Amino acid sequence: MTVLTAATPTTPTNSLGWMAFLAEKYSASFWQGTWLTLYVAVLGTILGFVMGYIIGIIEDIRTDPEEKGIGRLLVLAAKAVCGVYVELFRGTPMIVQAMIIFYGLRQAGVEIGILAAGVLVTVLNTGAYMSETVRAGINSIDNGQREGALALGMSPMKAMFHVVLPQAFKNIIPEMANMFLTNLKMTSVLNVIGLSELFMTAKTVGANYYKYFESYLIIAVIYFVLCFVFNRLFLLLEKRLEPKKDYVLAVEYMDNQ
Amino acid sequence: MEEKIISIVELGKSFGDHEVLRKIDIEVEKGEVICIVGSSGSGKSTLLRCINRLERQSTGKIYYHGKEIGNAQREINEYRSRVGMVFQSFNLFNNMTVLENCMAGTRKVLHISKEEAFDRAISHLKAVGMAPYINAMPSQLSGGQKQRVAIARALCMNPEVLLFDEPTSALDPEMVGEVLNVMKELARTGLTMIIVTHEMGFARDVSTRTIFMDKGYVVEDDAPERLFTNPKNQRTREFLSRFIAG
């Protein structure tokens, strides 16, 4: 038995010792788990943000009730589809979504890989939450900003991308950071479809020596360090986007007559 | 015959059951400075917003050089790039510096070169005395400074008509003067302007034509010297007497 042979030379005597032992012995597994967790969280969050922005912008398109054209119908249809999607994905747990999407797709004959399914679930989940955040962010910008842009002759989309969205984006950053940190931890539920991210790794490693407490404590530390580092990065980004407190007077244009 | 830039024909606007504008007919000729006065809720601002199509009229038509402004977004964008607007609340873009504000329209809408957009911005900012502040963000400026930048921003588009929606109503009393002076200067250059204002002295001195509105109607539309000294309508008289008494 591997258990006996591995444990004979130096059997750890306390939890800390076991943690060090497991971390060293299974470092490759933990690295792999960390990598997969990060991969799914980063890719899923970024694509989810893109999806959230697209839906948030679609939901903000204003249609004139007096207009009877096909354009308005298309917009209303798109809004309805987005509404149903957001409602469904915010109304069900991610762990259930993972099972339904993974096994559902397989049953339908789509040979989706575990990793791809994991990313897909994360994207769909993030997109649903993000769209609400983006919508709220857009709403928080005074309508005068939009009108100022329209009055210059900008199209509603130009007004959105040059004026409204850059301001909304700044307001949304803390929520985006939140969402990413949540995702980093939520990837753990993807162990149910067999993705060997951190949680799955801890489960497997712990089973080898029946040292579950120590094994999960290791990934708790890893999760914490990841979250801590990313949180600091987001704060840095937020700080960088803060407007400068003072400005340089363009003295060359001062009136000195 | 003078050329009509904008013709408003039987314009009406309702918000639900509430009729805000009723059968408005106004023709705007080149070089006119039209002040629209009237008490709050008389529909002045809504009229101005309809002229710029920020509000869509319920009935009636607006013509620009004889061509009706339809509902196609492209047409409206094109029209708006020729008819500028200055707002009560300035609406400077908070994510851009003063210079970027003044280059946004020329760069993103008119697509002129960076150099030309810069030159235009500087020359108009100079004219309103705001050129030294090109690097400032709107939040770092006073109300009067913001409004002067907003006027420069609108002028950068070389508009044929400039609409002002109560440009001094959000300003501290001591800042009203600096903005009105800029507008007086503009009137002198022959720019066509439509100004919704509560500044009666300004309307009397600067406008070539004054319109008094009440309850959504154009009650009186006359030369300022006649409208202010010898109004024909009872409502106009009542309205003006409050200003003279005050």
Side-chain angles (χ1 to χ4, degrees), chain B residues 102 119-131 148 151-159 186:
Chain B
C102 291
D119 290 344
R120 266 199 212 182
I122 292 295
S123 83
H124 288 296
L125 283 169
K126 267 185 185 163
V128 299
M130 286 302 290
R148 285 188 279 148
I151 292 171
R153 176 176 75 175
L155 290 173
C156 285
M157 299 293 286
N158 285 345
L186 280 178

mmCIF file of all heavy atoms in Angstrom, chain B residues 102 119-131 148 151-159 186:
data_model
loop_
_atom_site.group_PDB
_atom_site.id
_atom_site.type_symbol
_atom_site.label_atom_id
_atom_site.label_comp_id
_atom_site.label_asym_id
_atom_site.label_seq_id
_atom_site.Cartn_x
_atom_site.Cartn_y
_atom_site.Cartn_z
ATOM 1 N N CYS B 102 -14.025 69.810 -26.037
ATOM 2 C CA CYS B 102 -14.189 70.659 -27.217
ATOM 3 C C CYS B 102 -13.782 69.948 -28.506
ATOM 4 O O CYS B 102 -14.086 70.418 -29.593
ATOM 5 C CB CYS B 102 -13.389 71.946 -27.051
ATOM 6 S SG CYS B 102 -14.083 73.004 -25.769
ATOM 7 N N ASP B 119 -6.966 73.258 -33.214
ATOM 8 C CA ASP B 119 -6.956 74.690 -33.505
ATOM 9 C C ASP B 119 -8.320 75.316 -33.263
ATOM 10 O O ASP B 119 -8.429 76.399 -32.682
ATOM 11 C CB ASP B 119 -6.526 74.929 -34.962
ATOM 12 C CG ASP B 119 -5.046 74.602 -35.161
ATOM 13 O OD1 ASP B 119 -4.343 74.499 -34.133
ATOM 14 O OD2 ASP B 119 -4.618 74.436 -36.315
ATOM 15 N N ARG B 120 -9.352 74.623 -33.723
ATOM 16 C CA ARG B 120 -10.710 75.124 -33.506
ATOM 17 C C ARG B 120 -11.009 75.249 -32.018
ATOM 18 O O ARG B 120 -11.531 76.259 -31.557
ATOM 19 C CB ARG B 120 -11.729 74.142 -34.101
ATOM 20 C CG ARG B 120 -12.145 74.466 -35.503
ATOM 21 C CD ARG B 120 -13.448 73.750 -35.800
ATOM 22 N NE ARG B 120 -13.518 73.400 -37.198
ATOM 23 C CZ ARG B 120 -14.572 72.801 -37.755
ATOM 24 N NH1 ARG B 120 -15.602 72.451 -36.999
ATOM 25 N NH2 ARG B 120 -14.585 72.533 -39.038
ATOM 26 N N ALA B 121 -10.669 74.193 -31.281
ATOM 27 C CA ALA B 121 -10.959 74.185 -29.847
ATOM 28 C C ALA B 121 -10.263 75.352 -29.166
ATOM 29 O O ALA B 121 -10.882 76.100 -28.399
ATOM 30 C CB ALA B 121 -10.526 72.854 -29.236
ATOM 31 N N ILE B 122 -8.975 75.530 -29.484
ATOM 32 C CA ILE B 122 -8.220 76.605 -28.832
ATOM 33 C C ILE B 122 -8.798 77.964 -29.187
ATOM 34 O O ILE B 122 -8.977 78.821 -28.325
ATOM 35 C CB ILE B 122 -6.718 76.542 -29.249
ATOM 36 C CG1 ILE B 122 -6.058 75.284 -28.674
ATOM 37 C CG2 ILE B 122 -5.992 77.787 -28.793
ATOM 38 C CD1 ILE B 122 -5.966 75.247 -27.163
ATOM 39 N N SER B 123 -9.148 78.175 -30.459
ATOM 40 C CA SER B 123 -9.620 79.502 -30.836
ATOM 41 C C SER B 123 -10.958 79.814 -30.160
ATOM 42 O O SER B 123 -11.173 80.931 -29.700
ATOM 43 C CB SER B 123 -9.701 79.648 -32.370
ATOM 44 O OG SER B 123 -10.897 79.111 -32.846
ATOM 45 N N HIS B 124 -11.848 78.822 -30.057
ATOM 46 C CA HIS B 124 -13.127 79.088 -29.394
ATOM 47 C C HIS B 124 -12.965 79.198 -27.880
ATOM 48 O O HIS B 124 -13.653 79.986 -27.242
ATOM 49 C CB HIS B 124 -14.153 78.013 -29.758
ATOM 50 C CG HIS B 124 -14.628 78.127 -31.176
ATOM 51 N ND1 HIS B 124 -15.322 79.221 -31.641
ATOM 52 C CD2 HIS B 124 -14.486 77.303 -32.242
ATOM 53 C CE1 HIS B 124 -15.590 79.059 -32.922
ATOM 54 N NE2 HIS B 124 -15.081 77.894 -33.320
ATOM 55 N N LEU B 125 -12.049 78.408 -27.330
ATOM 56 C CA LEU B 125 -11.809 78.515 -25.884
ATOM 57 C C LEU B 125 -11.192 79.870 -25.550
ATOM 58 O O LEU B 125 -11.492 80.470 -24.520
ATOM 59 C CB LEU B 125 -10.910 77.376 -25.406
ATOM 60 C CG LEU B 125 -11.615 76.018 -25.258
ATOM 61 C CD1 LEU B 125 -10.608 74.892 -25.053
ATOM 62 C CD2 LEU B 125 -12.608 76.043 -24.098
ATOM 63 N N LYS B 126 -10.330 80.362 -26.450
ATOM 64 C CA LYS B 126 -9.750 81.696 -26.262
ATOM 65 C C LYS B 126 -10.847 82.740 -26.243
ATOM 66 O O LYS B 126 -10.859 83.647 -25.412
ATOM 67 C CB LYS B 126 -8.771 82.015 -27.397
ATOM 68 C CG LYS B 126 -7.337 81.662 -27.088
ATOM 69 C CD LYS B 126 -6.451 82.141 -28.237
ATOM 70 C CE LYS B 126 -5.015 81.704 -28.018
ATOM 71 N NZ LYS B 126 -4.240 81.800 -29.252
ATOM 72 N N ALA B 127 -11.782 82.593 -27.181
ATOM 73 C CA ALA B 127 -12.850 83.588 -27.315
ATOM 74 C C ALA B 127 -13.703 83.678 -26.046
ATOM 75 O O ALA B 127 -14.219 84.738 -25.717
ATOM 76 C CB ALA B 127 -13.732 83.250 -28.520
ATOM 77 N N VAL B 128 -13.842 82.546 -25.327
ATOM 78 C CA VAL B 128 -14.637 82.587 -24.097
ATOM 79 C C VAL B 128 -13.733 82.700 -22.866
ATOM 80 O O VAL B 128 -14.200 82.584 -21.732
ATOM 81 C CB VAL B 128 -15.557 81.349 -23.955
ATOM 82 C CG1 VAL B 128 -16.534 81.272 -25.108
ATOM 83 C CG2 VAL B 128 -14.751 80.070 -23.833
ATOM 84 N N GLY B 129 -12.444 82.905 -23.108
ATOM 85 C CA GLY B 129 -11.507 83.112 -22.008
ATOM 86 C C GLY B 129 -11.176 81.864 -21.220
ATOM 87 O O GLY B 129 -10.801 81.946 -20.059
ATOM 88 N N MET B 130 -11.295 80.699 -21.842
ATOM 89 C CA MET B 130 -11.060 79.457 -21.090
ATOM 90 C C MET B 130 -9.865 78.656 -21.608
ATOM 91 O O MET B 130 -9.622 77.540 -21.157
ATOM 92 C CB MET B 130 -12.319 78.581 -21.106
ATOM 93 C CG MET B 130 -13.437 79.068 -20.211
ATOM 94 S SD MET B 130 -12.948 79.205 -18.481
ATOM 95 C CE MET B 130 -12.785 77.479 -18.038
ATOM 96 N N ALA B 131 -9.110 79.213 -22.538
ATOM 97 C CA ALA B 131 -7.988 78.476 -23.118
ATOM 98 C C ALA B 131 -6.952 78.014 -22.089
ATOM 99 O O ALA B 131 -6.422 76.910 -22.207
ATOM 100 C CB ALA B 131 -7.329 79.291 -24.226
ATOM 101 N N ARG B 148 -19.066 78.476 -20.029
ATOM 102 C CA ARG B 148 -18.306 79.074 -21.127
ATOM 103 C C ARG B 148 -17.633 77.990 -21.961
ATOM 104 O O ARG B 148 -17.572 78.071 -23.185
ATOM 105 C CB ARG B 148 -17.269 80.056 -20.567
ATOM 106 C CG ARG B 148 -17.931 81.361 -20.102
ATOM 107 C CD ARG B 148 -16.912 82.394 -19.744
ATOM 108 N NE ARG B 148 -16.372 82.197 -18.401
ATOM 109 C CZ ARG B 148 -15.126 82.510 -18.044
ATOM 110 N NH1 ARG B 148 -14.292 83.023 -18.929
ATOM 111 N NH2 ARG B 148 -14.723 82.309 -16.820
ATOM 112 N N ILE B 151 -20.229 76.445 -24.166
ATOM 113 C CA ILE B 151 -20.504 77.272 -25.340
ATOM 114 C C ILE B 151 -19.401 77.079 -26.388
ATOM 115 O O ILE B 151 -19.676 76.898 -27.576
ATOM 116 C CB ILE B 151 -20.636 78.761 -24.939
ATOM 117 C CG1 ILE B 151 -21.900 78.962 -24.096
ATOM 118 C CG2 ILE B 151 -20.670 79.658 -26.174
ATOM 119 C CD1 ILE B 151 -22.029 80.336 -23.454
ATOM 120 N N ALA B 152 -18.153 77.059 -25.917
ATOM 121 C CA ALA B 152 -17.032 76.833 -26.844
ATOM 122 C C ALA B 152 -17.171 75.467 -27.518
ATOM 123 O O ALA B 152 -16.938 75.331 -28.720
ATOM 124 C CB ALA B 152 -15.702 76.917 -26.093
ATOM 125 N N ARG B 153 -17.556 74.476 -26.737
ATOM 126 C CA ARG B 153 -17.721 73.125 -27.292
ATOM 127 C C ARG B 153 -18.747 73.127 -28.417
ATOM 128 O O ARG B 153 -18.540 72.531 -29.469
ATOM 129 C CB ARG B 153 -18.158 72.157 -26.189
ATOM 130 C CG ARG B 153 -18.435 70.759 -26.689
ATOM 131 C CD ARG B 153 -18.774 69.802 -25.574
ATOM 132 N NE ARG B 153 -20.128 69.996 -25.061
ATOM 133 C CZ ARG B 153 -20.700 69.212 -24.135
ATOM 134 N NH1 ARG B 153 -20.005 68.219 -23.617
ATOM 135 N NH2 ARG B 153 -21.920 69.438 -23.717
ATOM 136 N N ALA B 154 -19.864 73.827 -28.181
ATOM 137 C CA ALA B 154 -20.899 73.895 -29.215
ATOM 138 C C ALA B 154 -20.397 74.651 -30.442
ATOM 139 O O ALA B 154 -20.674 74.266 -31.572
ATOM 140 C CB ALA B 154 -22.153 74.553 -28.645
ATOM 141 N N LEU B 155 -19.619 75.721 -30.208
ATOM 142 C CA LEU B 155 -19.142 76.535 -31.330
ATOM 143 C C LEU B 155 -18.142 75.793 -32.202
ATOM 144 O O LEU B 155 -18.020 76.066 -33.391
ATOM 145 C CB LEU B 155 -18.499 77.827 -30.801
ATOM 146 C CG LEU B 155 -19.471 78.845 -30.199
ATOM 147 C CD1 LEU B 155 -18.692 79.992 -29.559
ATOM 148 C CD2 LEU B 155 -20.423 79.373 -31.266
ATOM 149 N N CYS B 156 -17.403 74.862 -31.602
ATOM 150 C CA CYS B 156 -16.405 74.093 -32.364
ATOM 151 C C CYS B 156 -17.045 73.348 -33.537
ATOM 152 O O CYS B 156 -16.382 73.011 -34.506
ATOM 153 C CB CYS B 156 -15.688 73.095 -31.464
ATOM 154 S SG CYS B 156 -14.481 73.874 -30.387
ATOM 155 N N MET B 157 -18.332 73.063 -33.430
ATOM 156 C CA MET B 157 -19.030 72.355 -34.501
ATOM 157 C C MET B 157 -19.386 73.291 -35.654
ATOM 158 O O MET B 157 -19.981 72.871 -36.633
ATOM 159 C CB MET B 157 -20.311 71.719 -33.969
ATOM 160 C CG MET B 157 -20.103 70.696 -32.864
ATOM 161 S SD MET B 157 -19.246 69.217 -33.422
ATOM 162 C CE MET B 157 -20.517 68.405 -34.365
ATOM 163 N N ASN B 158 -19.028 74.585 -35.514
ATOM 164 C CA ASN B 158 -19.457 75.606 -36.482
ATOM 165 C C ASN B 158 -20.957 75.519 -36.761
ATOM 166 O O ASN B 158 -21.381 75.366 -37.910
ATOM 167 C CB ASN B 158 -18.708 75.465 -37.812
ATOM 168 C CG ASN B 158 -17.287 75.978 -37.688
ATOM 169 O OD1 ASN B 158 -16.957 76.678 -36.733
ATOM 170 N ND2 ASN B 158 -16.458 75.623 -38.645
ATOM 171 N N PRO B 159 -21.777 75.616 -35.727
ATOM 172 C CA PRO B 159 -23.213 75.413 -35.930
ATOM 173 C C PRO B 159 -23.834 76.595 -36.683
ATOM 174 O O PRO B 159 -23.300 77.709 -36.667
ATOM 175 C CB PRO B 159 -23.755 75.350 -34.497
ATOM 176 C CG PRO B 159 -22.807 76.183 -33.707
ATOM 177 C CD PRO B 159 -21.455 76.015 -34.345
ATOM 178 N N LEU B 186 -21.356 86.803 -29.005
ATOM 179 C CA LEU B 186 -21.776 85.894 -30.076
ATOM 180 C C LEU B 186 -22.871 86.528 -30.921
ATOM 181 O O LEU B 186 -22.862 86.426 -32.151
ATOM 182 C CB LEU B 186 -22.324 84.589 -29.484
ATOM 183 C CG LEU B 186 -21.305 83.564 -29.034
ATOM 184 C CD1 LEU B 186 -22.018 82.361 -28.436
ATOM 185 C CD2 LEU B 186 -20.452 83.131 -30.216
#
